[in-house]
Structure formats: structure tokens, C-alpha cells
């Protein structure tokens, strides 16, 4: 008989580990259950893999950030280096799941699978989605047909490339989708139907060496635009940016003129400015930006503001400058899918 894959489940809090005071009340507290308690709620997992559970964080992912994802990545690094671990599943909150998946893909080098999952309803809710999502994540992690896709996200019957994952709905269970591509596989019961070739992210593993840096990653702020706004949202960051800023512009990169003028000044003073879009399915290329051709101003391609901020922060931490950083973002404006 073939031996089952050995999968390590890392609990990182979130609604999947959340509990509320009743099955029908909308309010709950994230991150209350340990990873091994999540496993006991899932019938049939023992047929898919041999599992070990460990709880890393016990909070909502609204309170997680780059330093936590660095700690998570280091733990994944250590686990995937072990000969007795074949893959890692991470249970995480949905609020920053897309950032965690993108970050992990940029730093994770080991070819062993890493699959993130989450839930929109707490464990105590009627029709909690966590147990099915966890089952599906283990199934995806155990599948040889999904090898080579880097960090994956599995929720609500879909397997998504982690770096492309976006959250699109505040409450519905069908909230996650892949952009600009699509899902790699569907899961029905215990059946995994793979219909796209798993391809790694354009910069997969590029920043692995930053995992052991002692210093925190530079803070890259995100400035939103809105109808009638002037330069003030950007001016708040003028003297406190960590070397870079992201602007969540209108449409494909347009800015109100007062903000464009300040951004020109900040770029001339050495701040790297990435232009993403406040539109959910974002694509900004250099020629559609108000600041087209301005040195130090970079188009985010398909990356939304929160993913752009992570990439810029890692690039600055690696000591990269304007042209080199622009080349990284360029990889996300024309993507082989
Ligand atoms: N509490 C939020 C979080 O931990 C929401 C969730 O997980 O769905 O991200």
C-alpha cells in the first residue's frame, strides 16, 4: 500500500479558528481555536494524509503584517527542509490572505507544496466553511498534479495561484478569485480536477535571502485617491515614507493634478513611487499613468496596492534602486499564464 503524504498544518489564526457566542450571531472572535482543534472537525482527513498540527498565531489577520509573514515563512522553510515533511498547509485569516500568499511566494524557494486556506464563517457558525476548506487544502497539498505551482490558495472548492489571489467580497464564501488568471483546479468531494498547468509566480523565491535579515522591512504606505482630493493624502507621507510609496490611483494610473505635482517632487527627492489602482481588477502600465516618463515613478502592472507595497518593501530591503525596482514590477505587467 502506498504511504500517505506527511503534511504539517500551521495555524495562523483568522475566522477559520474563530468562535462566536451562537451559531447565528454575526459577531465572533478570530483565532480562538488551535490548529489541532481545527483538524478534529474534519471527517476523512486521515484518509488523505498523515497530519501534524502547530499553532503559530492566534489572532485575526487584520493584525498580521510583514514581520509575521516573515516568521511564518521561516517556519515553512524549516519544515519543508525536513525529510519527514512533504508539504505545509497554513490556516490564515481572509483579510490579509492575499498579502500573505503573495509575500510567501516571493520568499519561498523549496519546491515542496505550500497551501493556504481560510474561512469566511467562524467555526461555530451554521454551515461553517472552514472544515471543507481545510479538507480541500490538504487534498491540494497532497496532490502531485499541483506540484510546481508554488504557494497555492484553496477555498470554496477552488485552487488558486497564491500570488494572484484577491478577496472580492466582504462576507460571501465565494469571495476569492485569481486575477489576472483563473483557478488551477476545482474540488468536488474528494475529487480534484486540475485544468490548468501550475506555473510559479514571476518572482517566485527571489527574496528568500531576506528571511534572515535582522532589520524590519521598510514601511511602504498606500495613499488612496478619491473624487475631489488634492495632494493632502500624499503630503501626510512626504517626510515619513520608508523610501517608497504606493498610490492607489484612479483607473489605469490617473491622478488629480495637485497630487501628481507632489508625487513628482517626492520622486525627484528620491522616493520610489509605485502607481497601482483603486479598481479591484487593476492594470497600470507606464503609458496610461498621469506621471508617465517621470523618473522614480513605476507602474504596478497587475499588482493591486497591497501587493505592490509588499513587493516595493522587499525590493527596498534588498537595496535595489529605481531602474532595478521598475524591472521587477515590469514582470507583473505581461504575465505568461
Ligand atoms: N477576522 C478576519 C481575519 O482574520 C476575517 C477572516 O478571517 O475572514 O482576517
Amino acid at each position: 500500500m502506498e504511504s500517505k503524504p506527511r503534511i504539517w498544518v500551521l495555524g495562523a489564526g483568522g475566522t477559520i479558528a474563530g468562535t462566536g457566542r451562537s451559531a447565528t450571531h454575526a459577531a465572533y472572535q478570530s483565532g480562538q481555536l488551535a490548529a489541532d482543534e481545527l483538524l478534529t472537525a474534519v471527517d476523512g482527513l486521515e484518509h488523505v494524509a498523515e497530519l501534524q498540527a502547530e499553532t503559530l498565531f492566534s489572532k485575526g489577520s487584520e493584525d498580521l503584517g510583514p514581520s509575521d509573514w516573515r516568521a511564518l515563512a521561516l517556519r515553512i522553510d524549516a519544515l519543508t527542509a525536513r525529510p519527514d515533511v512533504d508539504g505545509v498547509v497554513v490556516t490564515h485569516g481572509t483579510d490579509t490572505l492575499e498579502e500573505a500568499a503573495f509575500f510567501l511566494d516571493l520568499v519561498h524557494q523549496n519546491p515542496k507544496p505550500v497551501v493556504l486556506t481560510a474561512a469566511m464563517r467562524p467555526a461555530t457558525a451554521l454551515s461553517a466553511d472552514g472544515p471543507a476548506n481545510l479538507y480541500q487544502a490538504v487534498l491540494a497539498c497532497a496532490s502531485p498534479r499541483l506540484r510546481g505551482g508554488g504557494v497555492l490558495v484553496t477555498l470554496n472548492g477552488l485552487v488558486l495561484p497564491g500570488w494572484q489571489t484577491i478577496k472580492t467580497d466582504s462576507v460571501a464564501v465565494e469571495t476569492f478569485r485569481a486575477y489576472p488568471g483563473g483557478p488551477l483546479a476545482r474540488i468536488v468531494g474528494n475529487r480534484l480536477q486540475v485544468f490548468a498547468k501550475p506555473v510559479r509566480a514571476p518572482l517566485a523565491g527571489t527574496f528568500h535571502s531576506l528571511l534572515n535579515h535582522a532589520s524590519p522591512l521598510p514601511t511602504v504606505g498606500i495613499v488612496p485617491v478619491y473624487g475631489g482630493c488634492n495632494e493632502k493624502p500624499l503630503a501626510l507621507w512626504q517626510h515619513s515614507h520608508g523610501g517608497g510609496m504606493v498610490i492607489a490611483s484612479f483607473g489605469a494610473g490617473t491622478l488629480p493634478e495637485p497630487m501628481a505635482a507632489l508625487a513628482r517632487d517626492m520622486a525627484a527627492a528620491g522616493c520610489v513611487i509605485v502607481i497601482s489602482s483603486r479598481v479591484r481588477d487593476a492594470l497600470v502600465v507606464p503609458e496610461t499613468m498621469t506621471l508617465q516618463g517621470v523618473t522614480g515613478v513605476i507602474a504596478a502592472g497587475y499588482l493591486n496596492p497591497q501587493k505592490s507595497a509588499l513587493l516595493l518593501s522587499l525590493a527596498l530591503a534588498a537595496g535595489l534602486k529605481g531602474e532595478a525596482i521598475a524591472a521587477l514590477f515590469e514582470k507583473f505587467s505581461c504575465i505568461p499564464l
Side-chain angles (χ1 to χ4, degrees), residues 13-16 28 30 59-62 92-96 119-120 167:
T15 297
I16 192 167
Y28 62 92
S30 293
K59 50 188 171 182
S61 71
E62 63 274 23
H92 196 280
T94 63
D95 285 338
T96 58
M120 291 299 286
K167 184 176 180 179

Side-chain angles (χ1 to χ4, degrees), residues 266-289:
M266 287 172 66
C271 176
V272 179
I273 296 185
V274 173
I275 307 292
S276 180
S277 176
R278 68 177 197 162
V279 176
R280 186 190 71 188
D281 292 350
L283 175 56
V284 177
V285 292
E287 58 272 32
T288 55
M289 300 190 303

